[in-house]
Amino acid sequence: MTDRALKVGIVGYGHLGQFLVEKIQKEGPEAGLQLAFVWNRNADKLRDSLPKELILHDLSDFTHRETSVIVEVCHPLIVKEFGVRFLSHAHFLVGSPSALSDPQLEQDLRTAAKQYGKTLYVPSGVLWGGQDIKKMNDSGTLRALSIRMSKHPSCFRLTGGLLSDWMEGEGRRVLYNGSVAELCPIAPNNVNTMAAAAIAASKLGFNGVTGEIAEVTGPDGFTVKTVRQNPAKLGAVTGNASYNSVWSSLLVCKGHGGRLYWC
């Protein structure tokens, strides 16, 4: 491993965090990646899997590690609490882009990226056709965007007791239909793909994109409807296709100069 390797800090050691750590350990040398540190809310989960020198017990100590890019894959609250500080030290890949539904937080992160000359990366996740949505957005031809997501109830992590009365065998129920801005705080762990779509469709934004897959509407009757299946195990928040998608996003984190970069 050379000194030119991208030194990666992983924040979160759930299924996705474990996948990224194992990928870097196995394929990092060839890909030019090296682990700088791994943090998890419960450090005991790390002890049997990682050398102790890679374990970060207090997340505030990340500044003591030489790090090129910090990857958050745990919860939007970490983005809110540490995002600006991360950007003062390294490039930052936001694995929970639902956090950016808070317009003040998004602005603070953009300002920090510019101030410190770092890049705020937002992975596209498993959003199918995301580059086409972004192209339409940038050209001013995107008129509307709606996304419908269906999951087994055990895979949702919802606030507000929306599933408190659900019973096995009930069948399909629509839990929410409205703006992605209002949906993100209700299901912060589940709607990161919708959040990525809202960022790609920045002229519509979180308030203009509806969460109810992807139906894209442009001028003169142009419409695209896409259905993609990304199965997840019962009780799992992350769909199977999401792992390699985030890995692909990490591979482009070479620094893109003081801005938000959708990848």
Side-chain angles (χ1 to χ4, degrees):
M1 182 68 66
T2 70
D3 291 337
R4 294 184 179 181
L6 197 73
K7 295 178 173 61
V8 182
I10 302 293
V11 178
Y13 199 65
H15 293 301
L16 184 51
Q18 291 177 44
F19 173 83
L20 292 175
V21 168
E22 291 173 3
K23 268 282 197 180
I24 294 172
Q25 289 175 322
K26 293 178 181 178
E27 301 179 22
E30 183 177 348
L33 302 176
Q34 177 182 351
L35 280 174
F37 69 82
V38 181
W39 175 87
N40 192 57
R41 195 177 302 276
N42 179 6
D44 292 340
K45 190 175 180 180
L46 304 175
R47 291 195 178 112
D48 294 333
S49 306
L50 293 165
K52 63 180 181 179
E53 62 269 17
L54 289 178
I55 299 173
L56 192 65
H57 293 274
D58 185 341
L59 188 53
S60 296
D61 290 337
F62 75 90
T63 55
H64 301 157
R65 304 295 182 96
E66 183 183 353
T67 312
S68 308
V69 59
I70 296 172
V71 180
E72 173 276 320
V73 282
C74 52
H75 196 277
L77 288 176
I78 295 295
V79 181
K80 184 173 184 178
E81 184 176 353
F82 285 92
V84 169
R85 282 187 275 174
F86 286 160
L87 284 165
S88 72
H89 185 70
H91 303 301
F92 179 32
L93 189 149
V94 183
S96 300
S98 61
L100 303 185
S101 64
D102 178 344
Q104 185 59 57
L105 177 58
E106 180 183 353
Q107 184 56 52
D108 289 346
L109 293 172
R110 286 179 181 270
T111 299
K114 185 175 181 179
Q115 177 183 351
Y116 297 111
K118 303 299 183 183
T119 305
L120 175 65
Y121 290 99
V122 178
S124 59
V126 293
L127 177 64
W128 195 254
Q131 291 293 342
D132 296 298
I133 293 171
K134 191 173 187 306
K135 288 175 183 177
M136 289 182 66
N137 176 80
D138 294 346
S139 67
T141 60
L142 185 64
R143 299 289 185 265
L145 174 61
S146 64
I147 304 173
R148 181 185 300 117
M149 180 181 294
S150 299
K151 291 177 177 283
H152 187 274
S154 67
C155 297
F156 279 113
R157 304 289 184 269
L158 305 177
T159 63
L162 288 178
L163 278 171
S164 59
D165 61 344
W166 180 83
M167 295 184 296
E168 189 71 47
E170 174 183 335
R172 186 176 184 272
R173 183 201 296 188
V174 176
L175 300 174
Y176 177 90
N177 187 324
S179 76
V180 172
E182 294 181 9
L183 177 57
C184 285
I186 297 172
N189 295 104
N190 293 113
V191 295
N192 286 311
T193 297
M194 292 187 182
I199 293 165
S202 59
K203 292 181 179 178
L204 297 175
F206 282 86
N207 286 303
V209 176
T210 58
E212 204 321 354
I213 112 223
E215 182 173 336
V216 180
T217 305
D220 303 319
F222 175 82
T223 301
V224 177
K225 293 183 180 180
T226 302
V227 178
R228 186 181 190 190
Q229 294 181 332
N230 179 21
K233 295 179 181 179
L234 290 182
V237 171
T238 306
N240 298 338
S242 303
Y243 298 97
N244 281 313
S245 177
V246 176
W247 171 251
S248 296
S249 294
L250 177 58
L251 293 178
V252 305
C253 292
K254 307 296 184 182
H256 292 80
R259 63 190 178 99
L260 185 150
Y261 186 83
W262 192 85
C263 57

